[in-house]
């Protein structure tokens, strides 16, 4: 099934991967809250192995994360894994990372890598876009890879017109649309939700608007709540305690909600904790969160994925191979840049063959350019959303 194709590495050249032990047994209904979750059986997620690359490339690779941690089980971590995979693939030294503690430090952290003579710098997240563009403009001999950083310009592909700056752009609306199909198909109450970190971040809004449209493609009258946690990015994406309390409060006010999609990074990990406590279905974001959050796996039906590790790795490989990319580099259904995760213990019971076929058909239609996930209800990102509202 093309939408579930995995992109963990490049065969034996890559030492970093996310491995999954066999899922055996389980599948029984868990008697918590609404009782929709299911036992996962004996399943564990392996920790990525450290890279031991032979030095066949002199590329010096550095990473600046968005606010958060390298072990956020999500956006920062999987972009970091992609940098490690890329270094291993080209035979470069293991990359180094600077973890951003405060958004005011973006430019300073990038400059630290420049001062240490790094010639490939990966910056993670939409919020680093301005600082990355400024650094790339001032340092034409350094190659910058910006994750989720759309470059504005007269040509949407060429972007800012810099030869040394590539932006990895994912079609979140497509991945969200697939998640919406799943959510509407399994909802018993006809009421579902998505909790986003901040309505000021375009990828978050695109995920959620795609989710809304995908759900309504299945059930036109379904209620889809779209809520945002905070415009303070540290709270929006790096505060699982707030994520859980926000979701708990939402569910207390909307008790019929039985499927919740998290689009809030590490804050969203707290949203999934709330999902488990309520015994409802959860949908993860960006990566396969069934693997990355084993404590919540009993309720995670699938995840809307951006193949972050693959995209970062490919950017590093292109640089080392002399075919450096520039401008906006797009990842979507047409090149397996997005998708959904496997359904694990829900496959064959909650997730029927009919649902799987609907998701596959939608993926193929988007890959062919025949389905726009931003239609019919609302455009995707068209400006700042109202935090905390539908």
């Amino acid at each position: 099934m093309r939408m579930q194709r995995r992109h963990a590495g490049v065969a034996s050249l890559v030492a970093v991967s996310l491995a999954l032990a066999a899922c055996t047994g389980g599948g029984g209904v868990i008697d918590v809250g609404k009782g929709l979750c299911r036992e996962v059986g004996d399943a564990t997620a392996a920790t990525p192995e450290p890279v031991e690359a032979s030095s066949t490339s002199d590329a010096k690779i550095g990473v600046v994360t968005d606010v958060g941690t390298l072990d956020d089980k999500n956006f920062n971590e999987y972009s970091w894994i992609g940098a490690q995979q890329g270094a291993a693939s080209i035979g470069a030294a293991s990359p180094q990372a600077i973890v951003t503690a405060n958004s005011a430090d973006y430019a300073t952290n990038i400059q630290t890598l420049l001062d240490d003579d790094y010639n490939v710098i990966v910056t993670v997240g939409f919020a680093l876009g301005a600082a990355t563009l400024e650094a790339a403009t001032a340092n034409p001999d350094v190659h910058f890879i910006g994750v989720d950083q759309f470059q504005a310009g007269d040509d949407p592909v060429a972007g800012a017109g810099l030869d040394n700056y590539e932006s990895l752009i994912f079609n979140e609306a497509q991945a969200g649309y697939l998640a919406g199909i799943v959510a509407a198909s399994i909802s018993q109450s006809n009421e579902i939700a998505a909790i986003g970190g901040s309505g000021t971040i375009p990828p978050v809004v695109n995920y959620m608007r795609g989710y809304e449209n995908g759900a309504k493609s299945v059930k036109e009258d379904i209620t889809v709540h779209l809520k945002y946690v905070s415009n303070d990015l540290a709270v929006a994406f790096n505060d699982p305690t707030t994520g859980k309390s926000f979701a708990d409060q939402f569910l207390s006010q909307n008790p019929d909600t039985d499927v919740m999609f998290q689009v809030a990074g590490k804050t969203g990990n707290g949203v999934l904790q709330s999902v488990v406590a309520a015994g409802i279905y959860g949908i993860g974001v960006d990566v396969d969160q069934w693997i990355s959050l084993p404590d919540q796996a009993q309720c995670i039906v699938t995840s809307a994925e951006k193949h972050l590790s693959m995209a970062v790795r490919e950017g590093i490989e292109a640089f080392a191979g002399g075919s450096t990319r520039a401008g906006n580099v797009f990842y979507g259904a047409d090149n397996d840049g997005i998708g959904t995760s496997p359904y694990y213990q829900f496959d064959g019971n909650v997730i029927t063959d009919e649902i799987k076929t609907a998701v596959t058909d939608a993926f193929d239609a988007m890959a062919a350019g025949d389905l726009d996930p931003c239609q019919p209800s609302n455009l995707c990102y068209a400006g700042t959303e109202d935090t905390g509202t539908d």
Side-chain angles (χ1 to χ4, degrees):
M1 185 179 299
R2 195 166 63 163
M3 70 171 184
Q4 293 182 356
R5 189 174 297 164
R6 317 306 296 162
H7 296 283
V10 280
S12 59
L13 292 176
V14 178
V16 180
S17 65
L18 288 178
L20 179 65
C23 178
T24 59
V29 175
I30 296 175
D31 186 20
V32 176
K34 292 186 183 296
L36 301 180
C37 304
R38 290 177 176 262
E39 297 172 351
V40 298
D42 180 16
T44 57
T47 300
E49 299 176 1
V51 174
E52 298 291 343
S54 60
S55 183
T56 59
S57 169
D58 61 0
K60 192 174 180 182
I61 303 166
V63 175
V64 177
T65 74
D66 203 345
V67 173
T69 63
L70 277 182
D71 62 349
D72 63 0
K73 311 301 180 187
N74 204 284
F75 204 83
N76 282 332
E77 183 171 357
Y78 278 64
S79 297
W80 167 238
I81 289 170
Q84 293 176 290
Q85 291 177 341
S89 176
I90 68 174
S94 297
Q96 298 297 312
I98 297 178
V99 178
T100 300
N102 189 302
S103 58
D105 297 331
Y106 291 147
T108 300
N109 291 343
I110 294 171
Q111 189 61 47
T112 297
L113 294 178
L114 290 169
D115 291 343
D116 288 341
D117 296 323
Y118 282 82
N119 59 349
V120 179
I121 297 177
V122 181
T123 61
V124 183
F126 171 83
L128 278 87
T132 304
L133 175 60
E134 182 177 356
T137 302
N139 298 273
D141 294 332
V142 177
H143 186 64
F144 290 83
I145 300 174
V147 184
D148 261 9
Q149 297 166 19
F150 181 79
Q151 297 180 36
D154 294 335
D155 185 325
V157 175
L162 300 177
D163 293 335
N164 64 319
Y165 178 24
E166 66 173 289
S167 292
L168 309 180
I169 307 299
F170 298 86
N171 198 322
E172 296 90 2
Q174 290 183 342
Y177 192 97
L178 301 178
I181 291 175
V182 173
S185 298
I186 64 177
S187 176
Q188 300 173 11
S189 66
N190 214 37
E191 188 169 341
I192 64 175
I195 305 295
S198 171
T200 66
I201 305 299
V204 172
V205 177
N206 291 341
Y207 263 132
M208 293 170 69
R209 292 300 182 184
Y211 176 76
E212 177 184 31
N213 289 329
K216 289 183 178 294
S217 75
V218 176
K219 298 176 181 175
E220 188 175 353
D221 63 343
I222 194 168
T223 297
V224 185
H225 298 282
L226 305 180
K227 301 289 184 179
Y228 299 92
V229 177
S230 174
N231 286 339
D232 179 335
L233 299 189
V235 175
F237 298 105
N238 193 38
D239 190 344
T241 299
T242 293
K244 184 177 186 305
S245 63
F246 186 94
D248 286 347
Q249 182 178 7
F250 169 81
L251 289 173
S252 71
Q253 297 169 348
N254 301 275
D256 291 336
T257 300
D258 61 358
V259 186
M260 185 173 287
F261 177 32
Q262 83 91 349
V263 194
K266 196 169 184 178
T267 297
N269 296 349
V271 172
L272 292 176
Q273 292 171 7
S274 180
V275 162
V276 172
I280 63 175
Y281 297 126
I283 297 177
V285 75
D286 288 337
V287 302
D288 186 348
Q289 294 205 283
W290 191 95
I291 293 177
S292 65
L293 295 177
D295 290 343
Q296 283 74 59
Q298 64 199 43
C299 295
I300 298 175
V301 178
T302 190
S303 297
E305 289 190 279
K306 295 193 286 193
H307 295 144
L308 298 160
S309 299
M310 176 192 78
V312 173
R313 170 178 56 79
E314 288 182 347
I316 292 170
E317 290 173 342
F319 170 82
S323 55
T324 303
R325 307 185 304 190
N328 294 310
V329 181
F330 296 95
Y331 283 90
D334 61 331
N335 59 3
D336 286 312
I338 61 93
T340 56
S341 303
Y343 306 113
Y344 300 107
Q345 74 270 22
F346 297 99
D347 194 351
N349 40 68
V350 174
I351 303 297
T352 64
D353 288 342
E354 182 181 7
I355 296 172
K356 289 188 284 187
T357 296
V359 175
T360 300
D361 288 348
F363 181 94
D364 290 343
M366 289 187 290
D370 297 331
L371 174 60
D372 182 355
C374 294
Q375 299 296 333
S377 62
N378 301 304
L379 297 171
C380 289
Y381 188 77
T384 300
E385 299 281 282
D386 292 327
T387 295
T389 64
D390 281 351

